[in-house]
Amino acid sequence: MSQPPVAPQHPHSHCEHGVERPDPYAWLKDKTSAESLAYLRAERAYYDEQMEPMAEQVGALTKEMVSRVPETE
């Protein structure tokens, strides 16, 4: 099994009402940056890898739930 991705920390601080607090993950707020997108892709790949053994059960549960909801919903 592979290891989950680890988000890098970048120095950043936020000041509000005179209180300064560090926010090393502020860079993730930029949804268009190459670094943010690469990290999110790595997280998704890890998730997909971990969930792959359960794909059959997820499919069966999804089919069951869809069958119980009216088509108009």
Side-chain angles (χ1 to χ4, degrees):
M1 263 190 220
S2 67
Q3 296 295 315
V6 177
Q9 297 183 30
H10 300 295
H12 178 81
S13 63
H14 176 74
C15 185
E16 189 170 342
H17 306 294
V19 177
E20 185 132 352
R21 65 176 177 85
D23 186 3
Y25 300 104
W27 63 272
L28 283 167
K29 292 177 187 175
D30 183 0
K31 295 178 175 85
T32 60
S33 80
E35 186 177 22
S36 291
L37 293 173
Y39 177 71
L40 291 173
R41 284 188 196 101
E43 273 194 347
R44 183 58 195 220
Y46 178 75
Y47 169 82
D48 289 341
E49 177 187 315
Q50 297 301 307
M51 293 301 293
E52 196 275 325
M54 294 179 237
E56 188 176 322
Q57 292 91 339
V58 170
L61 288 170
T62 301
K63 184 177 177 182
E64 177 71 22
M65 287 186 280
V66 168
S67 74
R68 294 173 181 253
V69 177
E71 287 185 30
T72 57
E73 302 249 342

